[in-house]
Amino acid sequence: MRDTTTQEEKIRDEKILTIPNLISLFRLLLIPVFIFQFVTAQSQRDMYIAAAILAVSALSDLIDGKIARHFHQITRLGVILDPVADKLTHISAAICLSMKYPLMYFVTIILILKEGYMLIKGVKSIRSGNSLQKAEWFGKACTVVVFCIFLFLMIVWNINRMISDVLIIVSAAALIFSWISYIKVYKSMS
C-alpha cells in the first residue's frame, strides 16, 4: 500500500515541542541573561557567573543534538533553532568580550561576516534542494575552539595582554579556517 501522505501533511504533523527544540529555545533565552550578567558584572565572581551561563549554553548545545539524534527528534524547526542559538550566542559573547579586549572587535566582524555568508548560502542551498545535512567537522571544531577561548577570557579576567591577544588571534584563525572550508563545501555542491 502506498503512503499517500503529502509533504504538507507531514510538515503539519511534525512535532514542534520536542525536548531538543525546547533546549534550543532555552539557549536563546540565556542570551539576554548572559549579556545582562556580563555588562553589569562588578567583580570576578560576577564574571564567573557570566562564564557559567555561557558554559551552560555550550553544554546544552551538545545535549540537544545528542537527544535529537538518539530519540529521532530531529525537526525542521530544530534544524533552524539550533544553529541560530549557536550563532547568536557566539556573536553576543564576542561583542561583550570586545568591551574588555579591543582586538575582539576583529573577531566579532569575522564572525558576523562568516555567519552572514553561511546564512545566504544556506538559504540558497535549501531553495535548490541541495542543502547541508549536518555541520561539518571543521565547523564543530571551530565552535569548540571559540567557546573555550571565550570562556577562558572570562574566567581569567586579568590575563596578560599578549596572551589574550594570541588567544583572540587563534579564535579568529579558527573562524577563518571554518569559513574557507565551508566556502569549498558550498562550491562543490553547486
Side-chain angles (χ1 to χ4, degrees), residues 18-78:
T18 63
I19 292 171
N21 288 354
L22 291 174
I23 292 171
S24 291
L25 285 171
F26 170 72
R27 288 171 45 226
L28 285 169
L29 293 173
L30 278 180
I31 294 169
V33 175
F34 164 76
I35 293 169
F36 178 79
Q37 181 63 36
F38 188 99
V39 170
T40 61
Q42 299 285 321
S43 65
Q44 183 63 54
R45 181 183 174 277
D46 292 341
M47 198 51 61
Y48 290 154
I49 294 170
I53 293 167
L54 190 63
V56 166
S57 180
L59 290 174
S60 63
D61 180 29
L62 291 173
I63 292 168
D64 77 350
K66 289 192 182 303
I67 291 171
R69 286 185 295 279
H70 186 268
F71 293 104
H72 306 289
Q73 293 186 348
I74 297 171
T75 63
R76 287 186 194 111
L77 178 62

Side-chain angles (χ1 to χ4, degrees), residues 34 38 44 46-60 62 89-90 93-94 97 101 104 142-159 167-168 171:
F34 164 76
F38 188 99
Q44 183 63 54
D46 292 341
M47 198 51 61
Y48 290 154
I49 294 170
I53 293 167
L54 190 63
V56 166
S57 180
L59 290 174
S60 63
L62 291 173
T89 300
H90 279 142
L97 284 166
Y101 305 102
M104 188 60 76
C142 176
T143 298
V144 169
V145 167
V146 169
F147 260 127
C148 288
I149 290 172
F150 286 7
L151 285 170
F152 184 81
L153 291 173
M154 279 185 249
I155 293 168
V156 186
W157 191 244
N158 293 321
I159 192 170
L167 290 171
I168 291 167
S171 66

Side-chain angles (χ1 to χ4, degrees), residues 99-112:
M99 291 186 245
K100 168 73 175 171
Y101 305 102
L103 190 57
M104 188 60 76
Y105 283 111
F106 178 63
V107 172
T108 305
I109 291 167
I110 293 170
L111 190 53
I112 290 169

